[in-house]
Amino acid sequence: MWYVIEGHDGPDVLSRRVAARPAHLARLTALRDEGRLMLAGPCPAIDAEDPGPAGFSGSLVVAEFGSLEDARAWADADPYIEAGVYTRVDVRPFKRVLP
């Protein structure tokens, strides 16, 4: 089943986000290579593709896991959590309709 994983950034965490990004992307690349990643990306904190020093408000991942518990375990192991980027992570089932 597909799951939405939404991480919410804390205040003033851009430098921590940048430092943890390679490890974060490696995990997403592994999901993609396994054919389990629908989409992933950050949410700019302002209305701009490159928010510069404003940074990001969080990230969204839609990926396939065997269960809600598996999705939560994967989300809990995200390098952004260890680095203190995310203050909260929501994980919930997702039903793909389009495309």
Side-chain angles (χ1 to χ4, degrees), residues 9 15 28 38 40 63-64:
D9 284 21
S15 62
L28 292 170
M38 183 185 301
E64 189 174 31

Side-chain angles (χ1 to χ4, degrees), residues 25-59:
L25 289 179
R27 297 177 79 234
L28 292 170
T29 299
L31 282 179
R32 182 201 63 199
D33 292 349
E34 295 168 6
R36 297 172 43 210
L37 182 65
M38 183 185 301
L39 66 89
C43 301
I46 60 172
D47 190 14
E49 181 120 354
D50 180 357
F56 299 90
S57 62
S59 302

Side-chain angles (χ1 to χ4, degrees), residues 43-80:
C43 301
I46 60 172
D47 190 14
E49 181 120 354
D50 180 357
F56 299 90
S57 62
S59 302
L60 182 73
V61 174
V62 180
E64 189 174 31
F65 294 93
S67 68
L68 180 58
E69 294 76 24
D70 290 346
R72 284 187 177 138
W74 187 90
D76 288 344
D78 195 296
Y80 283 171

